[in-house]
Amino acid sequence: MESTESSYVSSPEAARNRSPPPPKSATSGNEEKPAHIKFLVSNAAAGSVIGKGGSTITEFQSKSGARIQLSRNHETFPGTSDRIIMVSGTVDDVLKAMELILAKLLNELNIEDNDDVGPRTKVRLIVPNSSCGSIIGKGGATIKSFIEDSQAGIKISPLDNNFYGLNDRLVTLTGTLDEQMQAIELMLSKLCEDPHYSQAMHAPFSYAVTHYSMNYAPNGTGGKFPNHKEDHSNSIMIGVPDEHIGLVLGRGGRNIMEIGQLSGARIKISDRGDFMSGTTDRKVTITGSQRAIRQAESMIMQKVANASERAMD
């Protein structure tokens, strides 16, 4: 939601009235450093980047020297229906590929804009929460300088508390293609110095997060002596990618029965085709004490993480 975002936004009007920034490279000295960028695209936009038979993505990789990877249809960023693109290579290669991709997406929009500076659009980058501090800077000084130098609007969203285990935030850049590219270059100059950011390149596209849907059933205390035992029934629902559900279930349901016995929780998996809204993740409902839920959830997520790692190999 817009109102909950940590906003550092430049006004488009103010940006257009300012003189353009002097031509300088924010990444000077870092051009050959390894870097990566993850950002969100709609399913339709993902198709446009791939091209017929993969022709467009092959061309962009050849022209830029960067590697361009897309998440699969069902691998979306939590809380959105958007897929993830990761561009990796040297800083220079990543910037070339980003410009090719964003220009292509801008062209697909067919925006008629008579203004010389071009249309202002949005791109949402994925940044680890641990790296956001380096972008914001002390008292917001760094991000303010990025806005000033790039003339782009920059918003850093808060962590989505509806998803336990989600450690990434979205950084929304609003501006013309040139303004967005300048902002991306400035951000990369900071991020490629951050060890947390370089580690994030190896994270799987499939987010092993818990979507919280807490339901507290009446615990029947109601008298003078409240029941402090953890026997009142809590329930959470988590999403598990459809292709990993078999590993969670195990042969003949052996794994899920074992998880239930070890944790003390009751576990129910939705029927085929019954997915979490906007995803192809099956619903897994875990019911029991908070301790039992935590233990069962941890065991299920470990199985999902193992499956994701195997898929990446």
Side-chain angles (χ1 to χ4, degrees):
M1 283 171 29
E2 294 289 315
S3 59
T4 61
E5 290 187 347
S6 306
S7 302
Y8 298 89
V9 192
S10 67
S11 153
E13 291 75 20
R16 293 179 186 190
N17 291 334
R18 287 201 297 266
S19 57
K24 60 178 181 181
S25 174
T27 53
S28 185
N30 289 331
E31 294 92 341
E32 295 304 311
K33 272 194 175 182
H36 76 280
I37 283 183
K38 289 182 183 178
F39 63 105
L40 303 190
V41 288
S42 67
N43 211 29
S48 163
V49 172
I50 294 166
K52 194 171 184 179
S55 58
T56 305
I57 198 168
T58 303
E59 179 194 343
F60 286 177
Q61 289 187 127
S62 175
K63 280 184 175 178
S64 66
R67 186 181 183 198
I68 303 170
Q69 296 166 273
L70 275 92
S71 67
R72 286 171 289 182
N73 282 355
H74 62 273
E75 291 175 332
T76 57
F77 188 81
T80 77
S81 56
D82 288 340
R83 287 167 70 180
I84 301 157
I85 293 184
M86 183 168 81
V87 181
S88 55
T90 66
V91 170
D92 250 8
D93 293 347
V94 168
L95 290 171
K96 283 176 196 166
M98 284 299 293
E99 187 152 19
L100 287 166
I101 294 168
L102 294 180
K104 170 77 173 169
L105 296 179
L106 187 62
N107 192 45
E108 295 287 318
L109 290 173
N110 290 322
I111 299 173
E112 288 196 16
D113 197 308
N114 298 322
D115 199 327
D116 290 341
V117 297
R120 294 176 68 84
T121 58
K122 290 185 179 183
V123 59
R124 292 191 290 174
L125 310 183
I126 301 170
V127 177
N129 184 46
S130 52
S131 301
C132 285
S134 65
I135 297 172
I136 294 168
K138 195 171 182 179
T142 305
I143 200 167
K144 285 173 187 170
S145 75
F146 287 177
I147 290 166
E148 200 62 37
D149 291 345
S150 69
Q151 305 183 16
I154 304 175
K155 281 186 184 180
I156 300 181
S157 70
L159 268 179
D160 190 337
N161 293 324
N162 290 320
F163 294 91
Y164 175 73
L166 177 61
N167 297 310
D168 287 342
R169 291 161 77 173
L170 293 176
V171 179
T172 305
L173 308 179
T174 307
T176 64
L177 177 59
D178 286 347
E179 290 165 356
Q180 287 174 343
M181 285 307 304
Q182 180 73 1
I184 289 167
E185 187 174 345
L186 289 161
M187 283 176 60
L188 263 189
S189 70
K190 275 287 176 194
L191 291 171
C192 66
E193 297 166 5
D194 186 338
H196 296 293
Y197 193 70
S198 57
Q199 289 163 13
M201 185 168 76
H202 306 293
F205 281 127
S206 188
Y207 279 86
V209 298
T210 305
H211 181 263
Y212 268 115
S213 172
M214 275 289 198
N215 299 306
Y216 290 95
N219 61 16
T221 53
K224 290 182 181 175
F225 307 101
N227 182 357
H228 290 296
K229 292 179 185 173
E230 272 199 308
D231 61 359
H232 58 282
S233 184
N234 308 319
S235 177
I236 68 167
M237 184 186 290
I238 65 176
V240 172
D242 196 34
E243 73 269 24
H244 298 332
I245 209 75
L247 197 64
V248 173
L249 276 166
R251 186 173 292 175
R254 189 180 302 162
N255 288 355
I256 206 80
M257 283 168 64
E258 186 181 74
I259 291 169
Q261 285 168 357
L262 290 171
S263 65
R266 293 190 304 281
I267 303 160
K268 183 184 175 187
I269 296 175
S270 65
D271 296 332
R272 282 183 184 169
D274 184 7
F275 300 132
M276 301 278 282
S277 179
T279 74
T280 54
D281 288 355
R282 295 272 283 280
K283 299 172 185 173
V284 179
T285 306
I286 309 172
T287 307
S289 69
Q290 288 184 15
R291 185 179 298 143
I293 288 172
R294 279 197 300 269
Q295 192 173 348
E297 178 197 345
S298 174
M299 293 166 83
I300 290 169
M301 285 306 175
Q302 188 58 54
K303 293 208 174 288
V304 172
N306 290 344
S308 298
E309 281 169 20
R310 280 183 211 166
M312 292 284 283
D313 290 340

